Each structure stands twice: as structure tokens, then as C-alpha cells.
Amino acid sequence: MVTMKQVGLNVASDPLMSLNYVGVLGGMVILVADDPGPISSQTEQDTRHFAKFAKLALFDPSTPEEAYIMIADAFAHSEKYGRPVLFRPTTRVCHSCSSIELLPALPKTQIRGFQKDGRRVIFPRLSYAEKIKIEKSLLDIREEFSEYDQNILTGGGTKGIISGGVSYAHTREALAGRECKLLKISTVPFPDKLALKFIEGLEEILVIEELDPVIEDELIRLRGLYGFNVKIFGKHTEHIHNAGENTIDSVTRAVDSFLGAEIVNQNKSTVSLPPLPVRPPVLCAGCPHRASFLTVKEAAKGKKAVFTGDIGCYTLGNAKPLDMVDTCLCMGGGITVAQGLKRAEPDAVHFAFIGDSTFFHSGITGLINAVYNQTDIVVIILDNSTTAMTGNQPHPGMGITMMGNKPPKVSIKRIIEALDVAQFICVDPMDRNAALDAVKSVIDVSGVRVVLFESPCIVLAKSRRKAGVDKDKCTGCKLCVTKPGCPAISIKEDKAIIDNALCVGCTVCSDICAFNAISVKEEATK
């Protein structure tokens, strides 16, 4: 099994498309967590489209319990048909937990090793033959899924609701015991035979799904193919919103309207609650990226500069007061976008920011391209020794694998040196003067210049240092607040105050203070 979000599937699509033609011997499940909202992604994408595009089966659970059961079904399906299978838990399923009843011991397939059967080299003639087999198997799978116990048809009447994924759980709750014909769809390909049983006798159908009208389009296809006289409401008719998550409130409103019931919020609180404060994401107090951004900002002052960003914690550098990320496209895009912009705007200085994890993931190829094509850009690698934004997963520069093995670290320095860039400097961004001199020294040089800022993420580097404010020296100028944007610093009664629960004594604020009102000291051991 391999896991990723929907944007990761974009990267994996090339090998996956071909793998379906080559086939697999053991079970292979690709878990793709779609992110309606999106809550933490560049895009809203519906992996069900990819399943149809790649001609793969897909399982779409509505609860954590179902996810547990259906993972076993997905592996069994993969082994039966010798094809990869997609598994699509959306945000709320991934963020939920549930008690489960353990499945009995599942059969284990013996590892057979590589078999030289001629199928592992994908040539056009083989692709053509395999395409015929794939199309035939999809028809068989469509029939099989009409009998699958997680595609469930209940109820009766002339009105029907069809749903899938977490939207089905919301629908069940919204119905609150009211009867109508209800069909749950948990798979791709679409189970035509079961859906035809559902449509029969209905006058109106409401389709509730996220993100795209995938189920809705399948129903419209069946309606046209078999000549049903039934009205279908959903995203195409704007009865269900076409972006973002479905919630229990939005689904309840849609269900009540569809069934002709008076809309009543049964959970309405008798207490009037104030609105929640706006809390935009921000770099952590003491984050070394803040020091890196401030250094580059000061070094580039007075120059026409563009700052291309990438995917990671440092994307948050786009917010005020830092305002140091002008673009964010995809992993590795910071370096490649800078190359394109340099050709469009050659008189500007183009800085490309990228983290250590992203550099290993997809930054190296872009850097090689920049060197080979002699592009005048400054690449700023922000090495905080981890994959901080998404949970501190290991990467090749950390010297530990996901399985706990400890191979030698892959050195970013040696990679850069091997590329023979025009200029390369490695410096600690927390050393303000040295970092500033490093960035200034590369600005007016031609070719690819690389500055490697090395300072560990504060999650890794526990500090006992704390900053404090001398109120007698503090003038209330607010520069320590308005320049770095550190969440540990605020103003009270026209004086700066520092929250010791957040502060890690990084020295950025003390370096900024023009009145020496902030000092950093080692916290006494209790």
C-alpha cells in the first residue's frame, strides 16, 4: 500500500497509468486522501475521476469502520484482478476515529519473486492487448459491485437520495428516521444493475456527494440510456454546492428541502455564542524560516525582486508582515517558476525558496535544469532537518527511514557542489550578520547561486532560552511585532510583551529591537 493526497496522485499518475497495463501479482492499494475544502492542499480534486480515467477500481468509505473493512476488500480485489486499486477516504473520514471489530486473520499471499513472463516491458502491442482485457474486466467489476455489500439500497417511495463517502453518513443523520429510497455508492466503476433497481419507480432523485458530480453524471447516463422519466437534482442543478465540504448542516438543508419538510435546526443552541476569531496560519514562534525571510528581505531592499515559493511551512512567508512569497504552484515549482520569470523579466532578481524535504522530492531536477541552461537565479534552500508541515516524516537528509533504519544522510551540500553552481554559501540564518552578508554577496553574481540556510525546526531543537522585555527601555515602537510577525510577541499598554509559553529564545526580536529592550537568557532549571 502507498499513501498520498490528491496532489500526490498527480505526481504518481505516470507510473500508475502504465502499471494498470502491466498488472500486479500481489495486492496493491493506492490510498489517496482527497481534501474537500481544501483544508491543506493547493487544489480540490476528486480521485473518482482519476479512477475512471485510469480504468481502475476505487473504494470510497463513509466511516473509519468502513475504511478498515474496505481496505481488506480492496486488497482482495487487487489480487483477484491483478490490477492496482484506489482507496479514497476524504478529510472527515481521515480525521475521525472509531471502535472497530477486528477482522479474522486474513490470508497471506506467498511472495513469488519476479517472474519473467514478458508482461513487464510495456510496448504498444502489449498495451493494445491489455487495454482489451482491462475493458472486459471493468464490465465484470461493474457487475460484481452491484452485489458488493458496501453498496447498499434501502427504503422505498417515489423520492430517492443517492450518496457516497462521508456524505452518506451526513445523509443518514439528516434523514433522522424519515423514509425514502436511499442508495449508498462506495465504488468505482458505478454499479449499474443496483442503480437501475434504485431508479425504478422514482420521480425525483437528490444526489449528495463531494467533490464533483461523479455519481450524478452516472445517473444521468443511465436515465438517458434506459429512458427513465426521473428528475435528478444535485450539483448540476445547484441543489448541492459544487466546492468545499458537505457538512451535516448543508446536507440537512438539502434533504429537508428535497423531502418538502420544514427546515428545523434541532441542534440549535439556546446560548448566543460570539463569532470565532479569525486565526490565519502563521510560522511558529522561533521558526528559522522567519529569520531566513527577514534576512533575504533586508538584503534585497531597494532592488526589483521576485520571491517564488514552494510547498511547505515556508509558504506561510506569503502573509504580512513578511510578504516574502509571491508564487506557490507545486512541489519544486519555486525553482522552475523562477527560471521562467527570469526570462520574462530579466532585470529583476529572482529568489526561489525551497525546503530540504521538497528539495529532495522534486527540487533537484529543477536546479539541474537551471544550471544547465545558465539561468540567473538565487536559490534559497531552507534546511530545517525535517518535513515539518505534514508531521515530521523522514526524508533522505535526516538519516532515518520510515521503518526506523539509519542509513547515511544524503548531503544537500555535496549535491550542490556536484552541480558546480556559480556560487554556493552555507550559513545559519540565526546568525543574522553572517546570513545577511551571505545573501548580499550572491545578489549581483551571474548564474545559479545557492544559499543553504541550516537551522533545525523548533520541534526538533528544544530550547531553554527565553526572551524578555525591559519595560523601561521599550518605547512601544512596535517594530518587534510589525517586522517579524512572531506569534509570541504582542503589545500591551504600549509596551511589548513576550509569551514565554511560545518563546524559544531565537534572538530574532532582540536583533530587531533598536533600543536593546529585548534580551535572551537561559531559563533556570526547575
Side-chain angles (χ1 to χ4, degrees):
M1 182 167 71
V2 59
T3 61
M4 62 194 71
K5 289 199 303 184
Q6 79 280 4
V7 285
L9 183 60
N10 297 340
V11 180
S13 62
D14 185 14
L16 182 55
M17 291 292 291
S18 296
L19 186 59
N20 193 29
Y21 282 73
V22 171
V24 296
L25 290 177
M28 181 175 185
V29 175
I30 299 97
L31 188 151
V32 182
D34 281 2
D35 187 15
I39 292 174
S40 182
S41 302
Q42 303 97 289
T43 61
E44 278 197 331
Q45 292 172 217
D46 195 321
T47 297
R48 294 175 299 171
H49 286 305
F50 189 91
K52 295 174 69 176
F53 170 56
K55 301 186 183 298
L56 295 168
L58 177 144
F59 290 77
D60 191 9
S62 63
T63 66
E65 280 181 287
E66 282 184 14
Y68 172 69
I69 293 166
M70 290 168 70
I71 274 286
D73 295 339
F75 273 106
H77 181 96
S78 177
E79 292 198 16
K80 177 179 178 180
Y81 287 94
R83 310 280 179 190
V85 169
L86 290 167
F87 196 85
R88 181 198 182 236
T90 53
T91 304
R92 294 305 157 191
V93 175
C94 293
H95 287 192
S96 302
C97 59
S98 176
S99 298
I100 59 170
E101 185 176 332
L102 290 176
L103 293 168
L106 299 172
K108 292 185 178 180
T109 303
Q110 285 293 111
I111 297 175
R112 289 177 282 176
F114 182 70
Q115 295 181 350
K116 294 189 177 185
D117 56 10
R119 287 189 58 196
R120 311 304 164 193
V121 180
I122 192 77
F123 281 125
R125 183 165 182 163
L126 176 63
S127 298
Y128 172 75
E130 287 299 317
K131 174 71 174 348
I132 294 172
K133 293 178 184 177
I134 289 169
E135 293 292 353
K136 172 62 170 64
S137 69
L138 288 174
L139 294 176
D140 295 338
I141 294 167
R142 195 181 291 275
E143 288 281 318
E144 183 179 309
F145 280 165
S146 283
E147 305 297 327
Y148 180 47
D149 59 9
Q150 296 298 329
N151 288 328
I152 303 169
L153 175 59
T154 56
T158 59
K159 288 192 172 188
I161 299 176
I162 183 169
S163 189
V166 73
S167 297
Y168 175 77
H170 294 330
T171 301
R172 289 287 301 271
E173 187 174 342
L175 282 171
R178 290 175 290 182
E179 269 295 310
C180 74
K181 212 168 185 181
L182 179 62
L183 177 60
K184 173 192 172 197
I185 298 293
S186 302
T187 58
V188 174
F190 193 70
D192 283 8
K193 188 181 293 185
L194 182 63
L196 289 172
K197 291 181 183 178
F198 166 74
I199 296 173
E200 193 162 348
L202 292 178
E203 296 174 359
E204 295 181 343
I205 297 172
L206 176 64
V207 187
I208 305 174
E209 58 186 320
E210 57 181 32
L211 285 157
D212 294 335
V214 174
I215 295 173
E216 188 176 349
D217 286 343
E218 294 285 4
L219 283 181
I220 292 170
R221 173 180 64 85
L222 290 179
R223 179 179 63 181
L225 194 61
Y226 292 93
F228 284 104
N229 184 22
V230 58
K231 295 178 180 178
I232 298 173
F233 305 107
K235 292 178 182 289
H236 288 309
T237 59
E238 298 184 356
H239 287 75
I240 303 294
H241 53 249
N242 60 11
E245 289 186 285
N246 290 330
T247 65
I248 181 58
D249 289 336
S250 68
V251 170
T252 299
R253 286 193 296 270
V255 169
D256 287 347
S257 176
F258 178 66
L259 296 179
E262 184 179 346
I263 300 175
V264 178
N265 187 350
Q266 298 173 338
N267 299 318
K268 186 175 182 180
S269 173
T270 56
V271 179
S272 179
L273 299 175
L276 291 173
V278 177
R279 298 183 65 187
V282 64
L283 291 171
C284 299
C287 175
H289 299 338
R290 180 177 287 105
S292 301
F293 282 130
L294 287 170
T295 297
V296 176
K297 190 172 190 175
E298 186 170 344
K301 187 181 295 183
K303 295 184 178 293
K304 183 179 181 181
V306 179
F307 308 105
T308 55
D310 224 298
I311 305 298
C313 293
Y314 44 92
T315 309
L316 300 176
N318 75 311
K320 302 288 185 181
L322 292 173
D323 194 21
M324 284 295 289
V325 175
D326 297 321
T327 72
C328 177
L329 181 66
C330 62
M331 292 187 79
I335 295 175
T336 51
V337 168
Q339 293 174 62
L341 292 179
K342 180 62 181 180
R343 282 160 172 75
E345 203 170 16
D347 59 325
V349 182
H350 294 271
F351 292 89
F353 292 99
I354 190 167
D356 49 334
S357 174
T358 307
F359 177 77
F360 284 117
H361 182 281
S362 52
I364 296 173
T365 50
L367 185 57
I368 291 171
N369 187 69
V371 172
Y372 190 72
N373 288 286
Q374 301 174 302
T375 311
D376 292 337
I377 60 172
V378 181
V379 177
I380 308 290
I381 302 176
L382 307 171
D383 183 358
N384 63 356
S385 301
T386 190
T387 312
M389 173 164 273
T390 52
N392 301 105
Q393 298 94 333
H395 66 63
M398 292 172 60
I400 186 169
T401 69
M402 187 175 67
M403 304 307 293
N405 299 322
K406 295 183 178 180
K409 295 180 182 179
V410 177
S411 169
I412 294 178
K413 293 180 185 177
R414 293 178 65 184
I415 292 171
I416 302 301
E417 289 165 353
L419 295 179
D420 196 22
V421 297
Q423 191 167 346
F424 172 46
I425 302 175
C426 180
V427 68
D428 183 348
M430 310 310 289
D431 185 342
R432 183 168 178 268
N433 292 330
L436 188 58
D437 288 343
V439 179
K440 284 182 176 179
S441 71
V442 303
I443 286 180
D444 295 321
V445 178
S446 298
V448 177
R449 297 88 81 195
V450 179
V451 177
L452 174 59
F453 281 131
E454 289 186 317
S455 186
C457 173
I458 59 165
V459 173
L460 305 177
K462 302 300 181 184
S463 171
R464 297 197 62 81
R465 298 189 303 171
K466 301 291 179 183
V469 179
D470 185 333
K471 292 188 177 181
D472 293 331
K473 292 182 179 180
C474 179
T475 64
C477 71
K478 300 185 177 68
L479 190 63
C480 58
V481 173
T482 58
K483 190 172 182 178
C486 176
I489 309 174
S490 58
I491 299 293
K492 186 176 182 180
E493 297 176 354
D494 290 326
K495 300 288 184 179
I497 59 171
I498 296 175
D499 185 347
N500 277 346
L502 296 176
C503 179
V504 296
C506 70
T507 75
V508 168
C509 58
S510 61
D511 288 341
I512 287 172
C513 182
F515 302 97
N516 297 317
I518 302 176
S519 58
V520 177
K521 297 178 181 178
E522 193 79 14
E523 193 177 38
T525 305
K526 294 181 181 179

